[in-house]
Amino acid sequence: GGGAGAAAGATGKWDAAPGEAKGEPEGKEAEAKAADPSAAHPRYADLVAKWGDMMAPSAGGAAGTTLANEMLDVALVPVAVSSSSLEPVKKKLPANLPVIRLKQMARRLFGIEVDQMVLSFRVDKASISEQLDDDDQTLRYFGVSDGGEIFVNEKE
């Protein structure tokens, strides 16, 4: 007789579990995890620190997006022979700034004509620079991030 009683007890236990799993506490917890990826992914903060927040709403996105958190602190570094005596210029630029607008700004700062200019970006001194080779794309598209350097050079 003990086997049948144990089976009935187990069935009662199993019946309760699915109802609890579908209850509100887990639904709210799942919503919180969806709203805050760091709750679901332990390395989220490290990856955001390294690569920037790819999950952040873009400029055309949510109303919560402010201009302040879309601004990037970068250093424009002249590396062309004609402007190498000039000091780097720190700028706060919008992430949605098109590369062509950055080139126009750099022309005023360093005297290199836009059609002769080559821009490249690096996150930090240890990283390899990447050329910003599409004038119509934005700084965000190329992954330009806070604290990086944008090198302003002339075509050979």
Side-chain angles (χ1 to χ4, degrees):
T11 304
K13 196 177 204 177
W14 288 109
D15 286 344
E20 289 171 16
K22 292 177 185 168
E24 276 192 37
E26 186 158 296
K28 288 200 190 299
E29 191 176 303
E31 283 178 31
K33 278 188 177 180
D36 180 17
S38 61
H41 305 287
R43 291 197 54 227
Y44 183 77
D46 296 338
L47 294 170
V48 167
K50 183 173 182 175
W51 300 104
D53 191 354
M54 302 295 180
M55 307 269 303
S58 62
T65 303
T66 63
L67 190 59
N69 64 14
E70 287 288 309
M71 298 298 282
L72 308 170
D73 281 314
V74 296
L76 298 175
V77 183
V79 293
V81 175
S82 64
S83 60
S84 61
S85 62
L86 299 172
E87 290 295 312
V89 176
K90 297 235 182 254
K91 285 282 183 190
K92 201 170 193 66
L93 304 172
N96 63 352
L97 183 74
V99 171
I100 188 66
R101 296 282 310 275
L102 178 59
K103 284 183 173 182
Q104 292 164 349
M105 181 187 310
R107 179 178 57 82
R108 288 191 300 273
L109 291 168
F110 305 120
I112 301 168
E113 287 306 314
V114 170
D115 61 345
Q116 293 300 308
M117 193 180 299
V118 178
L119 298 179
S120 55
F121 168 76
R122 74 175 179 192
V123 179
D124 55 38
K125 301 225 183 296
S127 65
I128 297 171
S129 64
E130 180 182 339
Q131 195 167 328
L132 308 182
D133 55 6
D134 185 341
D135 286 353
D136 298 327
Q137 289 294 351
T138 64
L139 299 183
R140 180 188 299 110
Y141 171 85
F142 286 105
V144 174
S145 57
D146 233 17
E149 296 175 304
I150 296 176
F151 297 105
V152 182
N153 205 347
E154 279 178 298
K155 292 179 182 171
E156 295 299 317

